[in-house]
């Protein structure tokens, strides 16, 4: 299913990327490659948030997603042969390898670095039978000074490389197929047991819509925000902003064991429940367990497995209620569900450090905040909140001040203008190029 408005980009009130950002990336590529600016294409891959559906994508659950007006930019030109040459705005050094080299999965998570995602994209395309003859010369950059932990920056980077390699090799790959290719990067190449939430959000989101992804069937659906349609404005302003509050705790998810441990426990809970119901032929995923069976058998589960299953089934209910609240434009109800998701992540999924929980609780007290929860895996990174438009700046100032009181050392590591961001919903990933001084997207 494709949402209305596909192929555009920037239909909301705050276009991303801005022309100045594109110009910086283009100039970097020109300097590296020696090519003309009009040859430079830019893969723009936004960061994502997940208002509801936390930690259930890997169990085939239904998740919600939207992008924001910040993200990763990969400027590139085709190389003259199969060589890949890359530089980064965040990391030193130069990457060089060839797309006709056979890429093998990383066997030690400690060896993962910024080069891994480019090689992982080549690996995913090779393993899916795509013929790669041309490499890219490129420059990749995230948001300067921003710790993008919890915003799926790794998926944004992986998708950027996929889009670039597909573009220069004249490959026509659907968004649905690219979702699976990015999953291959993270699951098979990097060894991370995640689901399809992140790439789905980045590739399928549209401004004004909340994306719902059924991770069992890999089928998306879209719900338009009712208050936006009432406004009858083609570039209508949504009646909320998004706050991102950063903890100062950084992480590289593939190197952390907590995430994969939780996934294993969910599968163990599914295995036990399926065995109890005589459905042992089904794969060990909680989406294959009937909720009636769960209610009847949950007392027989080990305590930690019971909590993981409770999070899954309660979160599925919150997603269903959230769909209805969004469609009706009821932000108060949606916010309450988001906060309840945050509580379940702490109590049932048992993620979140002391600092992240402090940040979550501060957000709940901030003026105009309707709901809050962890973003991403929740073990480090940031928290998100939805907030009333006219109180967003006041809420951001309150959160920044209160968290600094609670964690002065951590806050000192974060640039002052990157501690709490006021964001807007964004659009989907796309490739941008210049043609006769006109901007085009594909």
């Amino acid at each position: 299913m494709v949402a209305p408005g596909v192929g555009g980009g920037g239909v909301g009130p705050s276009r991303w990327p801005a022309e100045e950002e594109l110009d910086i990336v283009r100039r970097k590529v020109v300097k590296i490659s020696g090519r003309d600016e009009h040859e430079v294409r830019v893969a723009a891959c936004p960061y994502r948030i997940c208002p509801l559906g936390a930690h259930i994508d890997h169990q085939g659950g239904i998740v919600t997603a939207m992008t924001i007006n910040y993200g990763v930019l990969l400027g590139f030109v085709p190389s003259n042969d199969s060589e890949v040459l890359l530089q980064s705005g965040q990391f030193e050094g130069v990457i060089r390898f060839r797309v006709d080299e056979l890429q093998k999965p990383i066997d030690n998570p400690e060896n993962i670095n910024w080069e891994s995602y480019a090689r992982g994209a080549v690996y995913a395309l090779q393993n899916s039978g795509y013929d790669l003859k041309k490499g890219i010369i490129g420059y990749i950059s995230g948001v300067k000074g921003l710790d993008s932990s919890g915003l799926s920056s790794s998926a944004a980077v992986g998708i950027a490389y996929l889009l670039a390699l597909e573009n220069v090799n004249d490959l026509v790959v659907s968004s649905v197929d690219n979702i699976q290719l990015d999953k291959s990067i993270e699951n098979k190449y990097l060894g991370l047991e995640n689901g399809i939430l992140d790439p789905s959000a980045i590739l399928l989101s549209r401004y004004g819509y909340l994306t719902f992804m059924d991770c069992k069937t890999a089928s998306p659906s879209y719900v338009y925000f009712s208050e936006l349609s009432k406004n009858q404005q083609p570039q209508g302003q949504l009646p909320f902003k998004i706050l991102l509050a950063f903890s100062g705790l950084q992480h590289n998810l593939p190197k952390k064991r907590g995430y994969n441990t939780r996934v294993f426990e969910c599968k163990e809970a599914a295995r036990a429940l399926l065995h109890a119901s005589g459905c042992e032929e089904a794969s060990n995923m909680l989406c294959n367990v009937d909720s009636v069976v769960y209610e009847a058998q949950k007392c027989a589960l080990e305590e930690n497995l019971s909590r993981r299953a409770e999070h899954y089934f309660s979160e599925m209910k919150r997603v269903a209620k959230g769909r209805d609240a969004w469609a009706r434009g009821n932000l108060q109800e949606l916010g309450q569900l988001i906060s309840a998701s945050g509580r379940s992540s702490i109590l049932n999924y048992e993620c979140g450090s002391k600092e992240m929980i402090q940040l979550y609780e501060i957000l709940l007290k901030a003026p105009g905040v309707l709901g809050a929860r962890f973003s991403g895996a929740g073990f480090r990174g940031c928290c998100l909140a939805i907030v009333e438009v006219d109180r967003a700046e006041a809420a951001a100032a309150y959160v920044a001040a209160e968290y600094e009181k609670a964690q002065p050392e951590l806050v000192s590591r974060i640039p002052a203008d990157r501690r709490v961001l006021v964001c807007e919903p964004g659009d989907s990933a796309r490739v941008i190029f210049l043609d006769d001084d006109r901007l085009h997207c594909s």
Side-chain angles (χ1 to χ4, degrees):
M1 177 178 180
V2 177
V6 170
V11 299
S14 181
R15 183 189 178 108
W16 179 84
E19 190 59 40
E20 311 86 79
E21 296 174 275
L22 292 170
D23 284 343
I24 291 170
V25 171
R26 289 191 193 103
R27 287 196 294 269
K28 292 284 189 180
V29 177
V30 168
K31 183 177 180 180
I32 297 167
S33 66
R35 308 276 270 278
D36 186 84
E37 182 180 4
H38 281 73
E39 296 182 60
V40 180
R41 308 152 199 188
V42 181
C45 295
Y47 299 141
R48 70 96 186 97
I49 63 167
C50 171
L52 289 168
H55 303 297
I56 62 175
D57 60 326
H58 52 72
Q59 294 304 299
I62 299 174
V63 299
T64 71
M66 66 174 67
T67 56
I68 62 172
N69 58 330
Y70 290 89
V72 169
L73 298 177
L74 169 61
F76 64 96
V77 293
S79 61
N80 294 321
D81 50 27
S82 63
E83 184 179 50
V84 172
L85 188 155
L86 297 167
Q87 293 185 20
S88 168
Q90 278 69 46
F91 302 97
E92 295 183 358
V94 177
I95 291 175
R96 288 179 184 270
F97 67 96
R98 304 178 70 85
V99 298
D100 51 9
E101 296 173 0
L102 182 64
Q103 301 298 322
K104 297 181 180 180
I106 291 176
D107 55 7
N108 183 355
E110 296 301 320
N111 294 332
I112 294 172
N113 55 41
W114 75 278
E115 179 177 357
S116 304
Y117 292 89
R119 288 184 176 273
V122 172
Y123 167 87
L125 288 163
Q126 287 176 339
N127 271 26
S128 296
Y130 292 101
D131 185 21
L132 299 179
K133 290 185 169 62
K134 279 188 173 291
I136 57 172
I137 302 170
Y139 174 84
I140 190 164
S141 181
V143 180
K144 185 177 180 181
L146 179 69
D147 171 22
S148 54
S149 302
L151 301 175
S152 193
S153 56
S154 61
V157 169
I159 291 168
Y161 286 129
L162 288 171
L163 294 180
L165 289 164
E166 291 160 8
N167 183 278
V168 301
N169 285 282
D170 297 321
L171 300 176
V172 179
V173 182
S174 70
S175 294
V176 171
D177 286 341
N178 268 324
I179 289 168
Q180 295 302 322
L181 286 169
D182 185 72
K183 189 171 185 289
S184 178
I185 295 173
E186 305 237 17
N187 290 180
K188 297 178 181 179
Y189 188 77
L190 299 176
L192 178 61
E193 296 293 330
N194 61 346
I196 62 173
L197 163 62
D198 296 343
S200 298
I202 293 167
L203 287 160
L204 301 176
S205 291
R206 298 291 183 267
Y207 181 83
Y209 293 82
L210 190 57
T211 302
F212 290 78
M213 172 59 73
D214 185 329
C215 296
K216 183 177 182 179
T217 62
S219 57
S221 60
Y222 304 87
V223 179
Y224 203 54
F225 187 75
S226 66
E227 290 300 321
L228 185 63
S229 60
K230 287 177 186 175
N231 290 340
Q232 297 298 310
Q233 298 175 6
Q235 293 192 10
Q237 172 73 58
L238 286 165
F240 67 91
K241 298 280 189 181
I242 299 161
L243 287 190
L244 295 177
F246 295 87
S247 67
L249 297 167
Q250 298 185 11
H251 74 298
N252 183 341
L253 190 54
K255 296 181 182 179
K256 297 296 179 182
R257 300 299 181 190
Y259 184 89
N260 282 357
T261 298
R262 298 299 189 280
V263 175
F264 174 77
E265 290 168 341
C266 288
K267 290 179 178 179
E268 282 296 288
R271 183 192 61 76
L273 291 166
L274 290 167
H275 176 77
S277 62
C279 297
E280 297 180 46
E281 71 281 359
S283 60
N284 295 333
M285 297 174 68
L286 287 168
C287 64
N288 293 323
V289 178
D290 190 283
S291 59
V292 175
V293 171
Y294 165 66
E295 291 296 335
Q297 300 291 334
K298 63 182 180 182
C299 293
L301 292 172
E302 296 177 16
E303 184 179 356
N304 65 326
L305 302 188
S306 177
R307 288 180 178 174
R308 307 300 178 260
E310 175 60 25
H311 175 75
Y312 173 86
F313 286 101
S314 65
E315 190 74 352
M316 285 288 284
K317 291 178 182 177
R318 285 186 286 271
V319 169
K321 292 178 180 178
R323 185 186 187 102
D324 180 62
W326 174 267
R328 289 185 285 107
N330 190 332
L331 288 175
Q332 292 287 344
E333 183 179 346
L334 180 68
Q336 291 169 3
L337 291 164
I338 291 171
S339 297
S341 173
R343 286 191 293 273
S344 182
S345 292
I346 295 168
L347 298 175
N348 294 319
Y349 205 74
E350 295 185 285
C351 64
S353 62
K354 179 187 76 172
E355 297 85 355
M356 288 289 286
I357 294 171
Q358 282 180 328
L359 193 51
Y360 162 75
E361 291 173 345
I362 289 169
L363 277 164
L364 292 179
K365 297 174 184 177
V369 165
L370 302 165
R373 56 162 296 239
F374 302 146
S375 186
F379 296 97
R380 299 288 189 273
C382 66
C383 291
L384 68 89
I386 59 170
V387 60
E388 297 166 1
V389 169
D390 57 356
R391 304 178 78 184
E393 296 297 338
Y398 173 88
V399 173
E402 292 300 309
Y403 188 60
E404 186 172 17
K405 293 177 188 175
Q407 296 292 339
E409 184 177 345
L410 282 176
V411 170
S412 69
R413 304 175 189 172
I414 311 171
D417 62 345
R418 293 290 187 253
R419 293 172 185 175
V420 183
L421 287 185
V422 178
C423 309
E424 295 180 7
D427 218 306
S428 59
R430 59 206 185 277
V431 175
I432 302 168
F433 58 97
L434 282 173
D435 180 20
D436 297 329
D437 296 321
R438 295 188 301 271
L439 198 64
H440 292 262
C441 301
S442 65

